[in-house]
Amino acid sequence: MSSWSVLSVAVPLGLGLYASFGALRSGASEWHTRLRKPRYNPPHAALMPLFALIFTLEGIAAFLVSNEMMLARHTPEFVAVRAGQLGLGFYWLQLTFIIFWPALLAFGPSLKLALANITVAMLFQLAAMVEFFRLTISGGMMMMLCFFAISTLTAWNAALIQARSGILPL
């Protein structure tokens, strides 16, 4: 296993868990219990393993794409380099936004700001997923799983806003 493969998984996982641990640790769960939540609210303890899975899959997908970009085994070299650069650029942008979402959700000024943050992250993730699919099916599929998970978290964030305003039945 190369040092790049270890870094491509360790960096997103480490950054993501470090950023989300402060907002999601059991001692800081008061914000979660005070929220007015919809009926289909996930348990607080399920959020940290979900983040670990998302960041691990994204790191593996980034490794697969960067590996294909360098070797260009299955795609023409120009397409591989262009799609790889775009895909990895979108990947790092969405990762930056996702890292700040748990803190915005827990300690931020409003749930709406957290929703805007994760929506932007989801759009960058969609763009990265499209470029990853241009290079490698397995990298694109991993990003698609992460996209569905982030979409679910985005819908949950929106439901929290609606539950707080009394629009949704609890």
Side-chain angles (χ1 to χ4, degrees):
M1 187 182 270
S2 72
S3 61
W4 171 243
S5 61
V6 171
L7 282 176
S8 64
V9 175
V11 168
L13 182 61
L15 285 173
L17 291 180
Y18 176 76
S20 58
F21 183 73
L24 299 175
R25 69 181 188 278
S26 58
S29 65
E30 295 173 19
W31 67 272
H32 191 260
T33 56
R34 286 182 294 167
L35 282 175
R36 193 171 167 202
K37 297 179 273 296
R39 246 181 281 168
Y40 50 87
N41 184 62
H44 183 75
L47 293 177
M48 188 62 83
L50 177 64
F51 277 119
L53 178 66
I54 288 171
F55 291 125
T56 302
L57 287 176
E58 285 183 350
I60 294 169
F63 168 72
L64 291 173
V65 165
S66 63
N67 194 32
E68 179 63 29
M69 186 175 85
M70 297 299 173
L71 300 177
R73 287 184 297 214
H74 305 293
T75 53
E77 186 177 346
F78 175 75
V79 173
V81 170
R82 179 100 171 121
Q85 288 173 344
L86 280 172
L88 291 172
F90 289 137
Y91 163 75
W92 286 107
L93 283 170
Q94 66 86 26
L95 187 64
T96 303
F97 279 94
I98 288 176
I99 284 172
F100 290 112
W101 180 72
L104 285 173
L105 188 67
F107 306 115
S110 75
L111 290 172
K112 291 179 182 177
L113 183 61
L115 178 62
N117 177 279
I118 198 166
T119 302
V120 170
M122 189 177 67
L123 293 174
F124 281 129
Q125 191 171 43
L126 178 64
M129 180 183 68
V130 168
E131 295 300 324
F132 280 22
F133 266 120
R134 288 180 66 195
L135 283 172
T136 171
I137 296 295
S138 55
M141 292 297 284
M142 287 182 189
M143 283 300 282
M144 188 167 70
L145 287 172
C146 296
F147 178 76
F148 289 140
I150 296 299
S151 299
T152 303
L153 290 173
T154 304
W156 175 66
N157 195 158
L160 289 175
I161 293 170
Q162 290 179 340
R164 178 178 266 183
S165 63
I167 296 172
L168 286 179
L170 299 174

